[in-house]
C-alpha cells in the first residue's frame, strides 16, 4: 500500500469576475496592503489609469495587516462600492 | 492510495522521495498497522477532519495526520501533541497562511508543558533545541511534513522564504518545569499544573546569550537585552511577540535575586529596544514612518521603540541542561501573527478567535 500524505482539497472553485466591456466612468477601489511603500505605487497607478481611461472616482481602503486576510466586512464594502479593484503587495 | 505489486522498504523510501513527499530526509514508510495505531490514539474515525492547512488548504483528517506522523518517525503516544499543535497552527490568530508563504525565515516553534512531556519522553534539558531525542525531533518533523504536504509549503512554490532556517526541519521543545524556579508557562497563563499544553509562536531560530560573569538578575538580563536590541530581526521593525528561553543556571541566578517571571518580563520590556533614528536609518533613504509599528509609538529620532508592544508579548520559558550559563532570545515574525496556547485536548484557555487588531492576542 502506498499512502498519499497530502490530503484532499475540498474547496469551491472560484472564477474571476466578468470583464467590463467599457471602463469609462467606472468606480475604482484601491486596497492598500499596508506595506511600507505599497500605497505609493498603487496610488500612482490608480491616478494614472483614471486619467488615461476616463475612469470614475477613486476610493481608497486599507487592510489591518499586509499578511492577514482583509476583514470580510471590508471586502463586502469594497465589492459594493467599486466596479474595479486595484491591489497588490510591495515594500 | 496505490498498490505496488511488490514493495520493499528501501523501494518505498525512494518512492516517497520521487513523489516529493518528504522534507528531504528519508521517511518511515507508513504501513496499515502503524497508521491504525496512531488513528486509535487519536480516538478512531480516520475520516474525521481535524483542520484545514493553508495555504494549499489541504484537509488534515486523522488518517492523513497519522500517515504524516508515521512518516516522520512518531510513536502513537505523540498523537495528542501533534494534533493540538496543528489545531493551534490552524487557528485564525496564528495566520499560518502568511507564516508559510512569507519571504522571512520564520518557522513555528512548539513548546510543550505539563505531564505529557514526561509521559512521552520529551527532552527539556541539555541540547533542548538540538538533536538526540525522538519525541522532540519527530513531533517537530511531523508538523513540518504536514506543513509541506497538506499545507503545500513547498520551497519556491507556496513557501517563498528567501533563506529558510534549520528550524524548518523540526522546532519543538518542552519547558524544564522541574528545574525552573518559577511556575510553568501554562500555569502563568491560567492553567492547572496537571494540565498539559502546547504553545506555538512563529519565530526565528534561537540566538544564544552568554553571560558567565553576572551574579545578579540585572547582569544576566542585560545580556539578553543586548541580544534583543538590534535593528536586524523582525520584532525590531515589525513589532509582534517574541520568546525568551532562560537556561537553568541563569534562572537560578535571577531567582536568587528574588525576581519573579513578571519582574523578568517587565525588565526585559522596559530596557530592550532601539531609537527610532536607528530604525529609520537616520533618514538616509528618505523620511520613513514605518506602518508596521503600533500607531501609538512616537516617530521621533530620539523616541525609544520597544522590541514588542508590551511585557506580555515576551513569552518566557526555562529550558536546557543544568550546566552552562546560557539563555536564548527567539525573535518572532512580527505583528502579522499571534502566538497560540491550547490545552492538549485542543481547547483554548480563553475564547480568543479573531485577533486581527491585536486586542485578543495571547
Amino acid at each position: 500500500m502506498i499512502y498519499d500524505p497530502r490530503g484532499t482539497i475540498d474547496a469551491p472553485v472560484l472564477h474571476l469576475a466578468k470583464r467590463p466591456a467599457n471602463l469609462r466612468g467606472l468606480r475604482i477601489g484601491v486596497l492598500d496592503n499596508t506595506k511600507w511603500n505599497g500605497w505609493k505605487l498603487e496610488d500612482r497607478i490608480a491616478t494614472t489609469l483614471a486619467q488615461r481611461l476616463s475612469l470614475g472616482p477613486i476610493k481608497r481602503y486599507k487592510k489591518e495587516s499586509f499578511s492577514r486576510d482583509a476583514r470580510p466586512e471590508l471586502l463586502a464594502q469594497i465589492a459594493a462600492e467599486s466596479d474595479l479593484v486595484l491591489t497588490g503587495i510591495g515594500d | 492510495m496505490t498498490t505496488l505489486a511488490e514493495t520493499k522498504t528501501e523501494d518505498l523510501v525512494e518512492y516517497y522521495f520521487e513523489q516529493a513527499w518528504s522534507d528531504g530526509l528519508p521517511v518511515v514508510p507508513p504501513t496499515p498497522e502503524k497508521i491504525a495505531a496512531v488513528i486509535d490514539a487519536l480516538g478512531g474515525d480516520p475520516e474525521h477532519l481535524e483542520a484545514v492547512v493553508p495555504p494549499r488548504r489541504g484537509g488534515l483528517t486523522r488518517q492523513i495526520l497519522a500517515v504524516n506522523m508515521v512518516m516522520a518517525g512518531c510513536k502513537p503516544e505523540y498523537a495528542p501533541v501533534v494534533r493540538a499543535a496543528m489545531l493551534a497552527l490552524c487557528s485564525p490568530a496564528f495566520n499560518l497562511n502568511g507564516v508559510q508563504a512569507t519571504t522571512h525565515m520564520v518557522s513555528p516553534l512548539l513548546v510543550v508543558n505539563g505531564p505529557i512531556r514526561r509521559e512521552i519522553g520529551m527532552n527539556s534539558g541539555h541540547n533542548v533545541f538540538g538533536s538526540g531525542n525522538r519525541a522532540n525531533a519527530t513531533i517537530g518533523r511531523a508538523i513540518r511534513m504536514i506543513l509541506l504536504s497538506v499545507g503545500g509549503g513547498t520551497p519556491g512554490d507556496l513557501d517563498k522564504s528567501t533563506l529558510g532556517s534549520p528550524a524548518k526541519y523540526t522546532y519543538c521543545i518542552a519547558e524544564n518545569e522541574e528545574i525552573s524556579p518559577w511556575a510553568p508557562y501554562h500555569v502563568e497563563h491560567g492553567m492547572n499544573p496537571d494540565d498539559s499544553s502546547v504553545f506555538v509562536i512563529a519565530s526565528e531560530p534561537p540566538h544564544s546569550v552568554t553571560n558567565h560573569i553576572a551574579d545578579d538578575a540585572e547582569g544576566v538580563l542585560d545580556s539578553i537585552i543586548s541580544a534583543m536590541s538590534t535593528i536586524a530581526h523582525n520584532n525590531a521593525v515589525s513589532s509582534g511577540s517574541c520568546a525568551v528561553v532562560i537556561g537553568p543556571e541563569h534562572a537560578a541566578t535571577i531567582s536568587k535575586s528574588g525576581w519573579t517571571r513578571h519582574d523578568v518580563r517587565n525588565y526585559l520590556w522596559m530596557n530592550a529596544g532601539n531609537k527610532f533614528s536607528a530604525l529609520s536609518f537616520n533618514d538616509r533613504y528618505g523620511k520613513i514612518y514605518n506602518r508596521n509599528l503600533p500607531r501609538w509609538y512616537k516617530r521621533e529620532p530620539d523616541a525609544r521603540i520597544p522590541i514588542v508592544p508590551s511585557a506580555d508579548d515576551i513569552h518566557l520559558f526555562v529550558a536546557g541542561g543544568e550546566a552552562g550559563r546560557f539563555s536564548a532570545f527567539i525573535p518572532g515574525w512580527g505583528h502579522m501573527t499571534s502566538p497560540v496556547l491550547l490545552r492538549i485536548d485542543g481547547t483554548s484557555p480563553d475564547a480568543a478567535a479573531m485577533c486581527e487588531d491585536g486586542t485578543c492576542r495571547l
Side-chain angles (χ1 to χ4, degrees):
Chain A
M1 294 284 275
I2 303 287
Y3 290 92
D4 185 333
R6 294 175 296 178
T8 53
I9 300 169
D10 182 20
V13 177
L14 300 175
H15 300 283
L16 291 173
K18 237 181 164 181
R19 294 295 177 252
N22 190 343
L23 298 175
R24 181 173 290 272
L26 295 185
R27 302 164 301 169
I28 180 164
V30 182
L31 177 59
D32 172 8
N33 65 32
T34 72
K35 281 263 181 181
W36 286 29
N37 294 307
W39 68 274
K40 295 176 189 168
L41 182 65
E42 288 171 352
D43 207 53
R44 183 77 63 86
I45 292 172
T47 309
T48 307
L49 285 178
Q51 283 169 356
R52 280 194 197 166
L53 305 172
S54 303
L55 297 175
I58 301 171
K59 187 157 183 184
R60 294 168 179 82
Y61 306 88
K62 199 168 95 172
K63 282 173 66 171
E64 281 290 328
S65 163
F66 55 77
S67 179
R68 297 185 193 270
D69 295 343
R71 285 179 290 109
E73 311 88 78
L74 178 62
L75 293 177
Q77 185 191 353
I78 296 171
E81 297 175 350
S82 315
D83 301 307
L84 305 167
V85 177
L86 177 70
T87 191
I89 194 161
D91 290 297
Chain B
M1 254 175 276
T2 320
T3 305
L4 288 186
E6 285 185 31
T7 54
K8 293 179 187 168
T9 302
E10 58 267 35
D11 295 333
L12 280 175
V13 170
E14 289 302 323
Y15 182 83
Y16 279 88
F17 271 132
E18 285 161 17
Q19 305 305 309
W21 296 342
S22 157
D23 53 1
L25 297 168
V27 300
V28 176
T31 60
E33 298 75 25
K34 287 179 176 172
I35 293 168
V38 176
I39 291 171
D40 278 352
L42 290 165
D45 192 2
E47 295 311 312
H48 179 87
L49 185 69
E50 293 283 0
V52 174
V53 190
R56 177 173 167 265
R57 300 192 58 77
L60 185 69
T61 60
R62 287 182 181 164
Q63 162 110 357
I64 294 296
L65 181 57
V67 168
N68 280 278
M69 280 184 57
V70 172
M71 288 171 68
C74 290
K75 290 183 175 180
E77 54 262 42
Y78 306 165
V81 178
V82 180
R83 169 170 52 189
M86 287 313 306
L87 293 174
L89 294 177
C90 293
S91 68
F94 191 79
N95 185 18
L96 183 58
N97 191 60
V99 171
Q100 286 255 72
T102 178
T103 46
H104 183 244
M105 60 167 61
V106 59
S107 183
L109 164 65
L110 170 65
V111 187
V112 182
N113 272 101
I116 199 161
R117 297 165 307 126
R118 291 286 164 261
E119 289 163 15
I120 64 173
M122 291 190 74
N123 178 29
S124 61
H126 284 290
N127 206 35
V128 65
F129 283 103
S131 48
N133 175 276
R134 181 173 177 179
N136 292 33
T138 63
I139 289 170
R141 188 187 186 202
I143 291 168
R144 176 51 55 187
M145 304 262 281
I146 292 166
L147 297 186
L148 283 163
S149 289
V150 189
T154 307
D157 185 9
L158 295 179
D159 179 343
K160 296 292 189 192
S161 181
T162 309
L163 296 168
S165 106
K168 282 186 146 180
Y169 283 97
T170 179
Y171 203 13
C172 165
I173 68 167
E175 185 168 30
N176 196 334
E177 297 178 17
E178 290 74 14
I179 209 167
S180 171
W182 302 303
Y185 176 84
H186 67 311
V187 174
E188 183 189 28
H189 286 80
M191 292 192 199
N192 191 296
D194 294 334
D195 291 334
S196 291
S197 67
V198 296
F199 167 82
V200 292
I201 181 168
S203 55
E204 298 179 6
H207 188 301
S208 177
V209 174
T210 178
N211 186 318
H212 286 69
I213 308 294
D215 61 359
D216 59 1
E218 287 94 332
V220 170
L221 296 175
D222 284 348
S223 289
I224 297 175
I225 286 162
S226 173
M228 294 171 80
S229 303
T230 157
I231 63 165
H233 58 62
N234 256 38
N235 286 135
V237 294
S238 297
S239 198
S241 54
C242 63
V244 170
V245 175
I246 312 256
E249 280 207 56
H250 278 169
T253 300
I254 296 165
S255 171
K256 207 171 64 188
S257 298
W259 289 40
T260 65
R261 292 184 80 114
H262 199 56
D263 295 331
V264 171
R265 289 194 292 101
N266 279 326
Y267 186 82
L268 294 174
W269 182 81
M270 180 70 90
N271 295 292
N274 300 290
K275 283 192 172 182
F276 187 72
S277 55
L279 290 169
S280 58
F281 299 93
N282 291 302
D283 294 341
R284 182 187 171 107
Y285 306 104
K287 199 90 176 159
I288 287 172
Y289 178 73
N290 190 342
R291 299 194 294 170
N292 296 317
L293 297 172
R295 55 177 65 90
W296 45 271
Y297 286 4
K298 280 189 175 175
R299 269 77 174 169
E300 295 172 0
D302 287 333
R304 185 184 78 90
I305 304 298
I307 289 304
V308 289
S310 81
D312 288 341
D313 297 311
I314 299 172
H315 298 272
L316 190 72
F317 299 90
V318 174
E322 65 268 22
R325 299 184 62 80
F326 292 96
S327 292
F329 172 58
I330 302 177
W333 183 39
H335 68 92
M336 307 79 80
T337 177
S338 303
V340 177
L341 174 68
L342 293 182
R343 291 194 174 86
I344 203 71
D345 65 2
T347 58
S348 173
D350 54 42
M354 284 302 293
C355 294
E356 191 177 272
D357 64 355
T359 50
C360 58
R361 70 174 186 277
L362 180 63

